[in-house]
Amino acid sequence: MPDRSDHIAQFLNTAGWGDAPRTLVAGDASNRRYERLSRGGTTVILMDAPPDKGEDVRPFVTITEILRTAGLSAPEIIAQDTQHGFLLIEDLGDDLFARVMAADPTTQAPLYEAATDVLIHLHRAPAPDLPRYDAATMTTLACLAFDWYQRGTTGDVNADDRARFADAFETALTPLDATPPVLIQRDYHAENLIWLPNRTGPARVGLLDYQDAMLGHPAYDLVSIAQDARRDVKPDLSDMMTTRYVDATGTDADQFAHAYALLGVQRNMRILGVFARLSLSYGKPHYVDLIPRVWAHIQTNLAHPELAAIAPLIRDSLPAPTTDLLTRLKDQCATIPRP
């Protein structure tokens, strides 16, 4: 029976790229791998997403078509084998926002402006037919902080704490479901955006890692990029992005700020749980080093006056990530079987 390398070779031969040299570009928190193929001065990217490890390239294909139809720079899909989990896609280059800003900090404001303009543009497009990222779904994912971070730092999940938080949090999130939904990419941040200065308007921002897109509140992706788990974003830049979005869309600023804080808690609680799980179950302890920044985002959002009832349900249940607790998470690396 052919192994995966044989399937890759067959896929590339059929696509006309079988003789091209390949170099590893990156892997990520999932089981996907990316390789760059070069030939005659042209490059493309191979996405290798093994179905037997839970990967599925079909959502990526679907969302790519939606984004490209909207005039945005999602990579063109050159060839696909959805059965075996292979895509050959346009190479948008290596100028990730995070790299460009690290090399030249003066680019931060214009790049974050461009990223905000992508959201303004996208949210004016008709909402596609996608699952809703609604209050019930968001609450379930926020509770990953109890399922994994509380378990890893205290030794157990307090079911009463979790239930009290879930009831109150879903109640707080439910009014946001009445807001007309937009496509949210859900992982919209500086390491998933590529600077394409030779293009114009919102197309100057290359988009990656959007296969988990759903329909949700317009503030969600703005929270995602402004409250980055991997890099610090100065408050004045966060404020600039929010003001730019609100002014361009005519959104009520107070209502948007409330939603932004709630979604900030939700997103960062989910990430807190995911990062703990990646260490405890998947043998990736380096994600633990990012937890203090995520925790700080949670505390910033809880300071919003509308979240006064939610704050003690988190602060009294989840311990702050001290050095000792983070060491404990790392020491338990890969000790809990994968779900």
Side-chain angles (χ1 to χ4, degrees):
M1 180 177 294
D3 62 16
R4 189 151 188 84
S5 61
D6 294 329
H7 286 305
I8 291 176
Q10 181 178 354
F11 170 67
L12 293 178
N13 284 331
T14 301
W17 283 83
D19 59 345
R22 292 155 48 189
T23 57
L24 181 65
V25 177
D28 56 27
S30 71
N31 291 302
R32 294 184 298 273
R33 294 176 71 256
Y34 300 89
E35 293 181 292
R36 175 172 282 121
L37 283 67
S38 304
R39 187 185 60 197
T42 300
T43 61
V44 294
I45 299 295
L46 169 68
M47 180 192 295
D48 176 3
D52 62 346
K53 295 185 178 180
E55 298 297 326
D56 184 355
V57 299
R58 291 173 298 177
F60 184 90
V61 173
T62 298
I63 305 304
T64 296
E65 181 178 353
I66 293 170
L67 294 173
R68 289 180 61 83
T69 298
L72 297 174
S73 291
E76 177 188 0
I77 296 176
I78 299 163
Q80 56 183 289
D81 177 352
T82 58
Q83 177 184 355
H84 295 105
F86 303 127
L87 295 178
L88 202 62
I89 63 177
E90 176 186 7
D91 185 2
L92 296 178
D94 291 321
D95 287 338
L96 294 173
F97 273 34
R99 293 177 185 169
V100 174
M101 291 187 286
D104 182 1
T106 66
T107 62
Q108 291 185 78
L111 290 185
Y112 279 127
E113 287 177 355
T116 304
D117 290 346
V118 168
L119 300 180
I120 294 168
H121 178 86
L122 178 59
H123 296 173
R124 287 172 175 159
D129 183 15
L130 292 173
R132 284 292 300 267
Y133 200 53
D134 57 15
T137 302
M138 287 192 285
T139 299
T140 297
L141 292 175
C143 284
L144 290 174
F146 290 85
D147 299 338
W148 291 97
Y149 178 75
Q150 188 185 58
R151 180 198 301 195
T153 54
T154 70
D156 198 7
V157 178
N158 187 309
D160 291 338
D161 288 349
R162 189 186 190 281
R164 281 191 292 268
F165 167 78
D167 288 345
F169 200 54
E170 183 169 352
T171 298
L173 286 170
T174 295
L176 301 188
D177 289 348
T179 302
V182 297
L183 186 151
I184 56 171
Q185 297 169 65
R186 294 184 58 204
D187 219 5
Y188 191 73
H189 59 75
E191 292 191 4
N192 282 338
L193 303 178
I194 297 178
W195 185 228
L196 304 170
N198 293 328
R199 301 188 184 185
T200 59
R204 292 179 301 165
V205 180
L207 306 176
L208 301 174
D209 203 13
Y210 44 71
Q211 61 279 340
D212 294 327
M214 300 176 75
L215 293 186
H217 192 281
Y220 188 87
D221 278 348
L222 201 63
V223 171
S224 179
I225 190 167
Q227 297 189 358
D228 197 321
R230 294 167 176 81
R231 70 186 310 272
D232 293 326
V233 180
K234 293 181 179 180
D236 61 330
L237 289 173
S238 298
D239 293 344
M240 176 275 292
M241 285 186 278
T242 301
T243 299
R244 189 178 184 88
Y245 184 91
V246 167
D247 289 348
T249 59
T251 304
D252 181 277
D254 291 338
Q255 292 180 5
F256 193 82
H258 176 208
Y260 184 99
L262 265 175
L263 295 170
V265 171
Q266 189 277 332
R267 176 173 171 78
N268 286 291
M269 288 280 283
R270 178 183 69 82
I271 294 173
L272 183 65
V274 168
F275 284 176
R277 181 177 64 187
L278 285 169
S279 181
L280 294 169
S281 242
Y282 288 78
K284 298 179 178 182
H286 58 282
Y287 283 97
V288 172
D289 296 331
L290 303 175
I291 283 178
R293 183 181 291 110
V294 175
W295 181 261
H297 290 325
I298 294 172
Q299 303 311 310
T300 296
N301 292 308
L302 291 178
H304 192 286
E306 296 288 341
L307 275 65
I310 300 295
L313 299 177
I314 295 173
R315 291 174 176 153
D316 294 346
S317 302
L318 302 180
T322 63
T323 300
D324 287 346
L325 287 183
L326 295 178
T327 299
R328 177 172 182 170
L329 280 176
K330 287 188 173 184
D331 287 346
Q332 298 175 81
C333 181
T335 60
I336 299 176
R338 297 185 185 189

